[in-house]
Amino acid sequence: MDFTLTTEQKMIQDLCRNFVKNEIAPIAEEMDKTGQFPYEVWKKMGDLGIIGIPIPEGYGGGELDWLSMIIAIEEISRGDASLGASLLATVTLPMNLIHTFGTEEQKQQWLIPLATGEKIGAFGLTESQAGSDASAIQTKAVLDGKEWVINGTKQFITNAGLKHNSLVVIAAVTGEGEGPRKKISNIIVPTGVGGYNFGQRYNKMGRRASETRELIFDDCRVPKENILGNPDKGYAQFLMTLQTSRIGFAAHSLGLSQAIFDVSLSYAKEREQFGRSISKFQAIQFKLADMLMEIELARLMVYKAAWQKDNGENYFTTSTFGKIFAAETAKRCADRGVQIHGGYGLMDEYPISRYWREVKFEEILDGTSEIQRLNIAKRVLKL
Ligand SMILES: Cc1cc2nc3c(=O)[nH]c(=O)nc-3n(C[C@H](O)[C@H](O)[C@H](O)COP(=O)(O)OP(=O)(O)OC[C@H]3O[C@@H](n4cnc5c(N)ncnc54)[C@H](O)[C@@H]3O)c2cc1C
């Protein structure tokens, strides 16, 4: 086994670290306060090739591996949770779906602007009655001549409504399936098309600059050609994509955990009590040692899942382990980090208080930790 990063992977890591230091870290607090998405930073990320890393050069990408992309998501999330969330939500979901299942025309029209960062994409699966139970979606698409007519409402959709959000790939019921399962297909719905409107922008406790909205489809018509891949296999398509997004979410948790460790270590070294640095107290040292150890354990699993994807191996188990463990690592790190900061950890002036608000998202989005454990029981243990 070789655990060393390749020259390209190291280069992406360094590029993203420098970018975070110079462009993201200085505005992270402000983004949390204002909830404003930084378009100019996104544009620079696109110009540097960070957004389209795993996409072929012919479609505006860098033609590198998924591990490089996962490292980029980790590093950007280390700088800011909102930007990391917007990045993983466009790359691992709509871009991944269009790249994997799209026709040549769809890739030319929709993938290139996403990969270059000119536009940003969204993925709409969740509905008010269909969260963990994704098969319960009710949004319907009915073929009428050369158009799909879509009716329904999606909720909690990341990146939707941003001013350069070009499309949402939605999962919609398109007919009766075999057995009790409905036929679900994935359809590209461009922003601005008649009958497609954005609902309220949610006010969240964290990830405030990453927009999340409700989507309303009221006799929304899109061309027949906007269907993605085999219309009979939409359910399997998004399950495949959610496997990739699990690695992305895990990388997000990893970045956040690392940021928490960084500020906690530096605070522990600076703060003095009883005439010495609190980093000299064993109770503090144990917290830092546990954080470092768990972050590295999570990283090994997350990188392994990405490596398996790159090498055509089955990564269901590792991506699921990685998602749960990295999310829970982030939560434990945040808890220890606030404790290390004492009272100052509860103050807005210290980034640790923001991180503490951010980490709870990790255990809920993209399949809660309970659902991931159920998946292990069902798919791995066959219970
Ligand atoms: C900020 C944000 C951004 C999001 N972005 C997107 C997006 O871009 N696209 C998208 O499609 N969705 C998105 N989501 C939706 C997200 O993936 C769901 O919120 C998540 O899957 C959980 O669904 P739910 O909120 O309906 O919770 P529920 O399914 O109602 O679950 C509530 C609780 O019940 C538990 N539970 C449910 N079923 C079981 C079971 N069988 N066994 C044990 N426990 C169970 C859950 O684990 C959880 O603890 C986003 C959500 C948020 C908050």
Side-chain angles (χ1 to χ4, degrees), residues 118-180:
E118 187 197 327
K119 300 286 179 193
I120 193 163
F123 175 65
L125 173 61
T126 306
E127 298 178 9
S128 58
Q129 77 297 336
S132 298
D133 182 8
S135 66
I137 61 165
Q138 289 176 1
T139 294
K140 273 200 174 62
V142 178
L143 207 50
D144 179 26
K146 292 186 172 168
E147 289 175 328
W148 289 103
V149 184
I150 307 168
N151 280 288
T153 304
K154 298 283 176 187
Q155 76 170 11
F156 296 155
I157 308 305
T158 304
N159 290 342
L162 284 171
K163 79 174 180 214
H164 60 335
N165 166 224
S166 56
L167 61 91
V168 59
V169 175
I170 59 157
V173 178
T174 50
E176 298 300 318
E178 280 175 24

Side-chain angles (χ1 to χ4, degrees), residues 89 93 122-133 154-159 202 204 206-207 210-212 242 249 361 363-371 374:
L93 294 162
F123 175 65
L125 173 61
T126 306
E127 298 178 9
S128 58
Q129 77 297 336
S132 298
D133 182 8
K154 298 283 176 187
Q155 76 170 11
F156 296 155
I157 308 305
T158 304
N159 290 342
Y202 297 97
K204 309 189 294 288
R207 296 186 179 198
S210 164
E211 247 173 73
T212 318
L242 291 179
F249 273 87
F361 289 69
E363 289 185 297
I364 292 178
L365 272 59
D366 202 50
T368 63
S369 291
E370 288 84 359
I371 295 301
L374 282 178

Side-chain angles (χ1 to χ4, degrees), residues 28-74:
E29 193 186 332
E30 192 61 20
M31 282 168 65
D32 178 58
K33 282 203 178 111
T34 62
Q36 290 297 309
F37 185 84
Y39 296 98
E40 60 303 333
V41 174
W42 188 262
K43 169 89 177 50
K44 284 184 195 167
M45 280 165 60
D47 292 346
L48 286 171
I50 293 172
I51 298 166
I53 289 173
I55 302 298
E57 281 178 5
Y59 301 120
E63 210 160 320
L64 295 174
D65 53 16
W66 272 93
L67 180 51
S68 300
M69 187 71 242
I70 290 304
I71 291 170
I73 293 172
E74 176 189 353

